[in-house]
Amino acid sequence: QVQLVESGGGLVQAGDSLRLSCAASGRTFSTYAMSWFRQAPGKESEFVAGISRSGGNTDYTDSVKGRFTIARDNAKNTVYLHMNSLKPEDTAVYYCAARRGIIMIVRGSYDYWGQGTQVTVSS
């Protein structure tokens, strides 16, 4: 069992930066691929970024490439999402998720989810 707790969301202006954190419980964090998803009002959940168990591989949706960076610290059981040059269209609730195995972009592939953190970007 893994419990995930996100933090770091907030209200920012376009062009600003934020860092989201997701702290995981348990001693098996390094055995999970970790990803961030987001869901905007009235829209479906969207894969944002994923990172492999070791941190050696990452994947991003096209709309955030070059602006967002996912990273993890297995010693701290934490995954991060560094978000730069934020845009109003990045406004959403951001969720971290964990699964054993490789990064997947399909929401249903993940076993554990956090409660989400709101990111609002004003224009």
Side-chain angles (χ1 to χ4, degrees), residues 46-70:
E46 173 188 29
F47 171 84
V48 176
I51 189 166
S52 62
R53 289 167 291 181
S54 68
N57 292 312
T58 58
D59 193 14
Y60 298 91
T61 192
D62 286 346
S63 63
V64 308
K65 285 180 180 177
R67 299 189 299 122
F68 290 11
T69 302
I70 189 169

Side-chain angles (χ1 to χ4, degrees), residues 5 16-17 36 38 40 47 51 55 63 77 82 121:
V5 179
D16 285 351
S17 299
W36 288 93
R38 66 186 179 186
F47 171 84
I51 189 166
S63 63
N77 282 13
H82 301 267
V121 184

